[in-house]
């Protein structure tokens, strides 16, 4: 009960922060369904902008849909996009321990149909928003979320772009030639032991053979989870090979901003 109260208080603080941001950004909870399961997303947008604009799906880390992914949605809304932080686990589930996170992530990543159904349900919700241009949508993912957006790109999802931050690059279903329709931006760390060099090279070879439009950047000295300030706490608490890297966080966000501007400009 105590953790749920704290979670609600954090969300209220986030909503207040969104409304007080430089732009007229507001955030609200959005429920949607896949079968009988309710999923809890978070939509952020600048209500001062009245014309349709590009939109971005934001997929959470393996810890689940938390304040971090909502903050990223707010940051994207401050740039003028409509952003939907999705819920890939259902009912807004989050994990407190690594074994819980691994189990929740596994229920999604080990079943391609589940991944696609849950991602596409959120995509449909985003497309229905009054301020969204449904022809200009991208997806951004962190850690587990980065794996998800790359998986959707491999399957030929109709996205203008997909950006992965410190996500796994491994796959059991490599992209076929001509199958990847989205432009890809993949951002990793050269000290990320969870994404070793052999996995990176296999991904680069896969995308080259598939004829995909992609860019891969490895930040020097950065470990897994380099964009999330909580990574240091997770590392200390659970002995995980994670670390926040302020410079890599800033530089990778700058790359994302340029990437989104370019792909949406081309799609006008």
């Amino acid at each position: 009960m105590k953790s749920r109260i704290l979670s609600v208080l954090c969300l209220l603080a986030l909503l207040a922060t969104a409304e007080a941001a430089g732009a007229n950004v507001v955030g609200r909870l959005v429920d949607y369904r896949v079968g009988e399961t309710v999923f809890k997303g978070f939509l952020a947008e600048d209500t001062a902008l009245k014309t349709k604009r590009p939109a971005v799906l934001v997929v959470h880390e393996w810890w689940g849909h938390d304040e971090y992914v909502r903050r990223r949605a707010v940051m994207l809304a401050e740039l003028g996009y409509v952003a939907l932080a999705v819920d890939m686990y259902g009912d807004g589930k989050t994990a407190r321990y690594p074994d819980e996170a691994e189990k929740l992530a596994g229920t999604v990543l080990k079943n391609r149909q589940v991944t696609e159904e849950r991602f596409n349900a959120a995509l449909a919700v985003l497309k229905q928003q009054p301020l969204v241009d449904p022809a200009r949508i991208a997806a951004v993912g962190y850690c587990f979320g980065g794996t998800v957006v790359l998986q959707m790109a491999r399957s030929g999802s109709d996205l203008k772009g997909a950006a992965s931050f410190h996500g796994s690059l491994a796959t059991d279903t490599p992209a076929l030639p001509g199958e990847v329709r989205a432009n890809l931006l993949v951002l990793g760390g050269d000290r990320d032991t969870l994404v070793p060099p052999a996995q990176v090279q296999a991904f680069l070879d896969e995308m080259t053979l598939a004829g995909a439009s992609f860019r891969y950047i490895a930040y020097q000295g950065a470990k897994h989870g380099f964009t999330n300030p909580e990574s240091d706490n997770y590392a200390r608490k659970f002995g995980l090979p994670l670390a926040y890297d302020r410079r890599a966080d800033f530089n990778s966000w700058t790359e994302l901003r340029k990437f989104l501007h370019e792909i949406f400009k081309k799609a006008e």
Side-chain angles (χ1 to χ4, degrees):
M1 177 63 73
K2 183 178 179 181
S3 62
R4 182 174 293 275
I5 293 173
L6 289 173
S7 179
V8 170
L9 290 174
C10 287
L11 178 55
L12 289 174
L14 180 68
L15 290 170
T17 300
E19 292 174 355
N24 295 308
V25 172
V26 297
R28 61 185 174 88
L29 299 177
V30 177
D31 287 356
Y32 54 99
R33 288 181 176 270
V34 178
E36 297 301 315
T37 304
V38 176
F39 291 77
K40 298 183 178 297
F42 175 84
L43 187 78
E45 58 188 341
D46 182 353
T47 57
L49 302 176
K50 302 303 181 183
T51 57
K52 289 184 178 291
R53 81 292 298 269
V56 184
L57 286 173
V58 192
V59 188
H60 54 75
E61 295 183 306
W62 75 331
W63 303 106
H65 181 116
D66 55 14
E67 285 76 25
Y68 174 72
V69 74
R70 296 173 188 150
R71 180 165 63 83
R72 290 296 181 180
V74 169
M75 292 170 69
L76 286 162
E78 290 172 0
L79 297 177
Y81 304 116
V82 177
L84 176 63
V86 309
D87 170 15
M88 292 296 291
Y89 294 161
D91 198 32
K93 292 189 185 76
T94 57
R96 293 182 299 169
Y97 302 100
D99 58 343
E100 294 175 346
E102 185 174 11
K103 183 177 180 180
L104 287 169
T107 62
V108 178
L109 295 179
K110 292 179 181 179
N111 190 322
R112 185 169 179 171
Q113 181 178 349
V114 169
T115 304
E116 294 182 3
E117 286 179 347
R118 296 182 180 187
F119 183 92
N120 287 330
L123 179 59
V125 169
L126 187 57
K127 286 183 175 181
Q128 292 166 4
Q129 301 306 311
L131 293 177
V132 169
D133 177 356
R136 291 191 291 165
I137 294 180
V140 175
Y142 294 85
C143 185
F144 159 85
T147 306
V148 168
V149 301
L150 289 180
Q151 184 168 315
M152 293 305 302
R154 287 181 170 107
S155 69
S157 183
D158 187 20
L159 298 166
K160 293 304 175 187
S164 170
F165 290 78
H166 46 80
S168 173
L169 307 180
T171 182
D172 294 328
T173 54
L176 298 175
E179 199 167 41
V180 180
R181 303 166 66 184
N183 293 277
L184 303 181
L185 176 65
V186 181
L187 305 160
D190 70 356
R191 292 184 61 199
D192 187 340
T193 58
L194 299 180
V195 185
Q199 187 181 122
V200 174
Q201 188 58 55
F203 172 78
L204 298 178
D205 293 342
E206 174 198 358
M207 290 299 132
T208 300
L209 289 172
S213 174
F214 72 98
R215 186 181 182 200
Y216 174 76
I217 301 173
Y219 293 102
Q220 185 175 5
K223 296 183 179 181
H224 200 77
F226 62 79
T227 64
N228 190 346
E230 283 298 306
S231 290
D232 292 338
N233 292 332
Y234 294 139
R236 284 191 294 268
K237 188 173 182 179
F238 303 117
L240 298 173
L242 310 176
Y244 177 64
D245 188 308
R246 184 180 301 232
R247 179 176 296 181
D249 182 18
F250 176 84
N251 289 340
S252 61
W253 184 255
T254 300
E255 289 294 337
L256 177 67
R257 292 180 62 169
K258 292 190 296 185
F259 174 71
L260 293 176
H261 176 76
E262 290 169 0
I263 63 172
F264 290 141
K265 189 69 176 176
K266 290 178 182 178
E268 288 181 346

